[in-house]
Amino acid sequence: MKHLFLVRHAKSSWADESLCDRERPLNTRGQSQLAPLGKALKAIGAFEGEVYCSDATRALATLEGAWPESLMPGHWHTRSELYTFDHRRLIAWLKERGDDSRVTLVGHNPALLELAQWMLQQPPEQLPTASFIHIRLSIKHWRQLDRGKGKLVALMTPQDYSYAHFERKLKKKARTAGDDPARDIPKALHHQHDRLRQLERGVILGLDDEFLHQYRIAIRRSRAIAESVQEVTGDKALAKAVKTLKRHARATGPLRDLHVFLQDLPELCGDNSEIRAALQIWFEREAANRHKKLVKRLQSKRYHDSMEHWLNLIDSRKFQKLAGTLREKDIRKAVECRIKEFNKLTAELMHTSPDEDIHRLRKQLKRIRYLMELDAKTWKSELKTLKARQQLYGQFQDLHVQIELLDQFRKAAPEVLPSALNGILETLEERKADTRQQILTLGGLDGAPL
């Protein structure tokens, strides 16, 4: 069995016309593709065998920039013959390889794409810059290479493994302006649905945590808009759909909490590399297990059926008619009711209140905000205040979760540097207490605008 990885160089520059093609460097976008490309190549095993690179400047810069710091520097081979646009030359070169089970080529189109098309019965039509193809070959020796004998294992583009590059291709966000609910609300929900389906691949691949974060935002916003419409109109038909969206959102929570914790870990551990390594190994394993469960869920028939049902609902005439019944006075009344409830709970909040009371207020803030966004032009200044408050309540939630995670670790591994662990827990408790004080100082919300 042989494995072949075909990596096209990152985006190159044509700015300097005095340079020959072989000497062209990467442009700014190409440079930004390197770190996520390296992470993706490492995850798929492209650096585990022999790596060969064209001697063109843009190809070498791609490999050097993508090469992981954890691997031996410069552990690759530069070959002038790989600077070619003729796939037949690559075929002849591959047939001369030895017993290497894995070979990675960093080179150029159209040679790489045409090579893949020669090897695969159902080949890809494109291979953009900074993209790669993984092909499995049921052969013992490279000299046995033949047309149509390969199997496509993976094709990844920058949009698959990097949220920043995925975002470049997205349409502008659809917003509910409040001028025409019958048009704006279904349009916004349809946009969020499309976004969810586009983000799923990035979530499943798990190479960039930001895909999951944005997926959570999209599904929670969808749920909030639908819940707000239901609250204002009193329609019960939306209840089941809202419940399903809530269930999908909850399924992503534990993994997202672990992502946030792992991002904060270097700052929490400071110079104590030993406790940092112990915590990182343990929580990365936990995150990997959570990711497997989430992937299984997203690939299930039940999940896909529920998303299809949701799309049919928001596209229906009934829902559009329902959205069209929304009136400014109805939205105002629902917001005032929520604010009254929020202020009542806030007045009851004390220094000794359980954390759950603050979590409940955080959820109330979200509901108020999304109700206001159904008539955003009326609540413009209030929305700015709510967003700032949400951030503070979110910080409290993150600290609460991180303390719980560390407690779980301490119970599972009580012998691992207990003094250092206690120090981190004390720091988090102090931060949580300070955030609680800030929340208490803020008090309630003002009522409806004049």
Side-chain angles (χ1 to χ4, degrees), residues 316-355:
S316 67
R317 289 185 180 180
K318 179 182 177 182
F319 182 77
Q320 292 179 16
K321 185 178 179 180
L322 191 66
T325 65
L326 294 177
R327 296 292 179 267
E328 186 177 313
K329 65 177 183 178
D330 299 321
I331 297 170
R332 180 191 294 263
K333 183 178 178 181
V335 170
E336 289 173 347
C337 181
R338 283 289 185 188
I339 289 177
K340 184 177 179 180
E341 184 179 1
F342 177 86
N343 289 342
K344 178 178 179 294
L345 292 172
T346 299
E348 296 171 354
L349 192 66
M350 302 174 63
H351 288 283
T352 55
S353 297
D355 290 357

Side-chain angles (χ1 to χ4, degrees), residues 174-218:
R175 294 182 179 275
T176 55
D179 297 327
D180 185 359
R183 179 196 66 200
D184 294 340
I185 291 174
K187 181 181 178 182
L189 287 173
H190 204 291
H191 172 81
Q192 294 298 335
H193 172 273
D194 291 347
R195 185 171 169 79
L196 282 167
R197 304 319 301 262
Q198 292 165 346
L199 286 162
E200 283 168 8
R201 175 165 166 78
V203 175
I204 289 170
L205 289 173
L207 295 169
D208 187 340
D209 296 349
E210 191 62 20
F211 280 107
L212 178 64
H213 178 54
Q214 295 298 327
Y215 177 90
R216 276 172 57 78
I217 289 174

